Amino acid sequence: MLLPVFTLKLRHKISPRMVAIGRYDGTHPCLAAATQAGKVFIHNPHTRGQHFSTSRVFQSPLESDVSLLNINQAVSCLTAGVLNPELGYDALLVGTQTNLLAYDVYNNSDLFYREIADGANAIVLGTLGDISSPLAIIGGNCALQGFDQEGNDLFWTVTGDNVHSLALCDFDGDGKKELLVGSEDFDIRVFKEDEIVAEMTETEIITSLCPMYGSRFGYALSNGTVGVYDKTARYWRIKSKNHAICIHAFDLNSDGVNELITGWSNGKVDARSDRTGEVIFKDNFSSAVAGVVEGDYRMDGHIQLICCSVDGEIRGYLPGTAEMRGNLMDTSAEQDLIRELSQKKQNLLMELRNYEQNAKAESSGPLNETDGQRGIIPANTTLRTSLSVNLGNETQAAHAELCISTSNDTIIRAVLIFAEGIFVGESHVVHPSIHNLSSSIRIPITPPKDIPVDLHLKMFVGYRSSTQFHVFELTRQLPRFSMYALTSPDTASEPISYVNFTIAERPQRVAMWLKQNFLFPEDTNIQSAPFQVCFTSLRTGCHLFIKIKLSGEITLNTDDIDLAGDIIQSMASSFAIEELQVEADFPVYFEELRKVLIKVDEYHSVHQKLSADMADNSNLIRSLLVRAEDARLMRDMRTMKNRYMELYDLNKDLVNGYKIRCNNHTELLGNLKAVNQAIQRAGHLREIIFMARHSGSCL
Ligand code: CA
Ligand code: CA
């Protein structure tokens, strides 16, 4: 079994995800981690007695080998690494909601300290694309910014939502790194410098990303999912009821391939095979894991995997030796596996006995009451499933609907549905009360986003008196645009916003694409071109017109710029379109944007006025203080008292002014986010062309 080669217990708490290792003097690896009350500690076990004392750094009163760095604000991201290759040692980078500090720990000096309007939720350090110098890239309120060693922002772009995770990875295998961005809108976006080249939609906020090797990378979601992607394809994933705090790639079994190491909220650390997700090693801490990093902490030439818990426990593991042949777990884990397998064997044997008995009963004549109880149903029983749109009523909102029915008088006792991103916990069980059992069942389905989803169904079929049931299993795909109902164009008003493009496909193929991606009533007949179809969004009630001309010219009328983008993307991938000329106009949308920009301007000028007021007030405070002090020296207590009363009032005004400033700042941030998202959306129509071209070259 693989045991830690060292264990330390620091007397400082560690904030989750805020852990990094750096060689701040170019030689000795030191652990840096954010701790409570706006401080970062640096653990230096290598050079005892070397202490710093400047305004930022002081020695920990708890431990002699720990220095503390004062940030005076909650730390929201932290990393360490080479920012200036000429220095020969690592920089420490600490981000907060308002600033980014690049710190030279060795010389006790700031490399730079920058104000960050959009906050720093995530940070990654390294080279991006063709930009020659290493960048400290931070992600915040819809914005991405990359700084060089002097604090110049050489990289800036916007993304769809608040950024939660970042990683650098050579996604397309051209030897240069792309930026992976995980955000609050469940998307993983891949940036080739400032251009989006791929976008993968997940089912929850992407909390962590890490490069594995080549184009393969690990990811973690806020719902306890971890997994591995290779380019745009998901390799595997698992879902736990605990939260994955951090992930890291490390070759723990020495087979030359990195495993995905995950640190969990319940104190577990596990290593999973990059190919299968199978656990090859696990260990437990007594508190939640805060960070997983790697470094040669013992300075003996071997890199250790280093795991830290929120309580300050640090364990280092060396990769398994050749003699262990990849068996990193102890024998009790093996026994667990044997127990699990024999349970499986028992279950299968029971199932086999049932089949044998059923076969015997079937050959002995027609069905009777006891056969029904044992779950025997007519051999020709089949299940029919269909998907449709239900417009809802006063008590139920409009939704997509799955209808399942049996081909005879058998009843459906229960239905289990497994589908990502639709149900809480990814599964849904429908079991009608005993009085409502029938041979058909309707299940409402409300996908929150327009993405195609596989519905994995298990249906229990039998009779009312049955105690055992026959289980039917099948998978149906819910079309991407299932939350749109076909509407008569006469009853709908045509949106003025539109996208126009021409594709070299026969109109019949476009009709087929429509049938695959929307839910049509069964009797719908799409005539030959030119034709138009009109849909109503079940979520917003807005209309969508799709018009197809014989020439292949297609016009989409919708005020929803995201929907237009999604439809073009879906067509582009169905028809393998590599390049598409798109003409678009969204006047309603741009009018909204114009209003937001005016607001942003207003908030900016209020901000400037408030800042000027504050500067005036500080001058006034200085003079009042001087005059109060003069009065004290003259023993003129009355004047002194009056001056202090004035100061007191001024202080109250300042506090009020500060509150207004804070509110103003919050409003400004909200509006800036809207602007950032607008820029991204407008870019989306353009990116589609690029993405289509890109995926073409991938194939
Ligand atoms: Ca690349
Ligand atoms: Ca390995």
Side-chain angles (χ1 to χ4, degrees), residues 169-178 192:
C169 164
D170 184 8
F171 183 82
D172 58 5
D174 67 349
K176 288 174 268 188
K177 283 180 181 164
E178 282 75 41
K192 204 169 178 66

Side-chain angles (χ1 to χ4, degrees), residues 367 369 371-378 381 383 406-414 437-440 459-472:
L367 287 176
E369 186 62 17
D371 289 339
Q373 273 174 11
R374 290 217 318 269
I376 298 174
I377 57 171
T381 308
L383 278 192
T406 72
S407 57
N408 47 38
D409 63 344
T410 51
I411 54 103
I412 300 170
R413 187 67 194 88
L437 291 175
S438 84
S439 59
S440 76
M459 294 150 292
F460 294 69
V461 174
Y463 288 100
R464 275 167 202 284
S465 57
S466 299
T467 50
Q468 288 181 23
F469 295 89
H470 188 93
V471 180
F472 287 84

Side-chain angles (χ1 to χ4, degrees), residues 174 384 632:
D174 67 349
R384 199 181 110 78
R632 190 183 66 83

Side-chain angles (χ1 to χ4, degrees), residues 3 53 92 149 182 225 256 260 263 275 328 398 409 421 498 559 565 613 631 683:
L3 291 167
S53 52
L92 174 67
Q149 70 235 25
T225 301
L260 184 68
R275 282 143 289 183
L328 306 184
D409 63 344
Y498 72 90
D559 286 327
D613 286 355

